[in-house]
């Protein structure tokens, strides 16, 4: 069961009892998501793959749908066809997510409308959120998800190592890394040495790059061969 709690900056967030973990606070979440997954993930991939006109994304951990919305927002200026697959084993209720008031942050009617469309779209179904943005969110644990596709970009966003050590092992990472296309990019907020070594063991080119505010470094891996 999820519980609503007030964070140090006065906004609301959620606590997942089963995992004994909180979601990031609103301001922290938007900053971190933009830095890790948009600037160093989606926008980096777009620069690296200028000739491609579609991008297939896999996200581990749909959560509040924030990464999804920020990707859609960034793509308004790129106008690529984006297919966005995501999994979550402990989905938040729509009302819970709206309580976080991310919409205030954007102060934009179109984005608010699209965010609600993302949140209310059926699980385990492919839904067209915009002409060039197709979402498929799945209620499942990562290790039960059968990958049928190859991905250009992977957003690896489970809870941290202290709470979910099993998500940062070769067993968890191998099936998704094996689905990465050539020129594909994997990003995560973690900078853990053991995770870097796992990524390198699959011949990915791995960089420790500057992290979001409050975190020194993060990891980005590219499939070059
Ligand atoms: C850090 S939050 C993700 C935040 C999210 N990307 C966003 O934009 O709000 C981690 C998410 O991973 C989900 N999760 C944890 N363990 C999982 C597992 N084994 N399989 C699938 N989802 C899992 C949690 O329910 C939670 O929503």
């Amino acid at each position: 069961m999820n519980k609503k709690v007030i964070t140090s900056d006065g906004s609301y967030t959620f606590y997942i009892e089963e995992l004994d973990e909180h979601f990031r606070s609103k301001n922290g979440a938007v900053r971190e998501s933009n830095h890790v997954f948009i600037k160093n993930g989606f926008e980096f991939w777009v620069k690296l793959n200028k000739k491609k006109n579609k991008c297939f994304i896999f996200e581990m951990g749909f959560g509040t749908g924030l990464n999804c919305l920020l990707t859609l927002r960034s793509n308004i200026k790129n106008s690529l066809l984006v297919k966005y697959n995501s999994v979550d084993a402990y989905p938040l209720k729509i009302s819970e997510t709206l309580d976080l008031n991310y919409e205030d942050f954007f102060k934009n009617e179109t984005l608010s409308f699209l965010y609600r469309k993302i949140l209310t779209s059926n699980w385990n179904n492919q839904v067209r959120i915009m002409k060039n943005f197709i979402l498929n969110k799945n209620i499942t644990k990562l290790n039960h998800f059968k990958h049928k596709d190859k991905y250009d970009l992977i957003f690896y966003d489970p809870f941290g190592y202290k709470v979910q050590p099993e998500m940062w092992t070769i067993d968890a990472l191998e099936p998704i890394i094996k689905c990465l296309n050539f020129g594909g990019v994997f990003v995560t907020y973690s900078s853990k040495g053991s995770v870097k070594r796992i990524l390198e063991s699959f011949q990915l080119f791995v960089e420790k790059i500057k992290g979001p505010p409050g975190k020194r470094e993060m990891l980005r891996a590219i499939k070059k061969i």
Side-chain angles (χ1 to χ4, degrees):
M1 208 183 87
N2 308 324
K3 282 188 193 149
K4 195 170 166 183
V5 288
I6 298 180
T7 64
S8 54
D9 65 14
S11 58
Y12 289 110
T13 191
F14 280 92
Y15 169 73
I16 302 186
E17 210 159 75
E18 195 169 339
L19 298 174
D20 187 22
E21 178 60 323
H22 292 91
F23 275 81
R24 294 177 279 253
S25 68
K26 176 169 70 179
N27 295 334
V30 175
R31 268 198 309 268
E32 182 164 327
S33 180
N34 252 325
H35 179 90
V36 176
F37 299 104
I38 307 305
K39 186 168 151 239
N40 289 299
F42 182 62
E43 291 172 0
F44 175 81
W45 181 90
V46 170
K47 275 189 220 129
L48 204 66
N49 292 276
K50 287 204 176 82
K51 292 199 178 124
K52 296 207 175 154
N53 56 10
K54 56 178 177 240
C55 179
F56 203 144
I57 301 176
F58 178 78
E59 176 187 44
M60 161 52 225
F62 181 76
T64 63
L66 181 62
N67 288 343
C68 179
L69 177 71
L70 293 176
T71 305
L72 179 150
R73 181 176 74 162
S74 169
N75 190 47
I76 290 174
K77 56 179 188 282
N78 294 316
S79 60
L80 282 168
L81 172 63
V82 173
K83 288 183 83 184
Y84 195 104
N85 271 15
S86 188
V87 294
D88 206 300
Y90 315 97
L92 292 169
K93 291 195 192 114
I94 298 168
S95 58
E96 289 176 336
T97 307
L98 289 174
D99 270 359
L100 297 172
N101 285 328
Y102 284 156
E103 289 169 308
D104 287 1
F105 205 88
F106 300 109
K107 296 192 180 16
N108 175 309
E109 266 180 40
T110 310
L111 282 180
S112 269
F113 169 78
L114 292 168
Y115 188 40
R116 281 170 190 251
K117 209 165 165 187
I118 287 170
L119 296 180
T120 54
S121 72
N122 288 336
W123 288 89
N124 309 319
N125 262 302
Q126 186 162 291
V127 179
R128 194 175 284 270
I129 305 295
M130 281 175 73
K131 184 168 83 259
N132 60 347
F133 196 98
I134 297 163
L135 173 64
N136 194 339
K137 49 184 196 182
N138 299 275
I139 301 185
T140 177
K141 286 201 168 178
L142 177 68
N143 59 342
H144 295 158
F145 186 71
K146 299 264 171 290
H147 299 276
K148 293 188 210 99
D149 302 289
K150 289 273 184 194
Y151 307 117
D152 298 301
L153 186 54
I154 295 169
F155 293 166
Y156 201 71
D157 197 14
F159 289 123
Y161 183 81
K162 282 192 193 140
V163 180
Q164 296 199 284
E166 73 284 1
M167 301 306 289
W168 302 98
T169 59
I170 192 160
D171 286 352
L173 289 161
E174 181 173 7
I176 39 178
I177 294 171
K178 286 195 165 163
C179 293
L180 201 55
N181 276 329
F182 290 103
V185 173
F186 171 108
V187 268
T188 184
Y189 62 86
S190 170
S191 60
K192 223 175 154 32
S194 58
V195 177
K196 183 170 188 276
R197 287 190 290 280
I198 292 171
L199 296 168
E200 283 167 345
S201 73
F202 291 96
Q203 273 75 52
L204 301 186
F205 169 76
V206 190
E207 303 168 277
K208 266 192 187 181
I209 56 176
K210 190 174 178 312
K215 287 199 177 129
R216 212 154 53 95
E217 293 173 318
M218 58 168 276
L219 291 176
R220 178 168 64 203
I222 308 167
K223 183 156 175 165
K224 289 191 174 172
I225 50 168

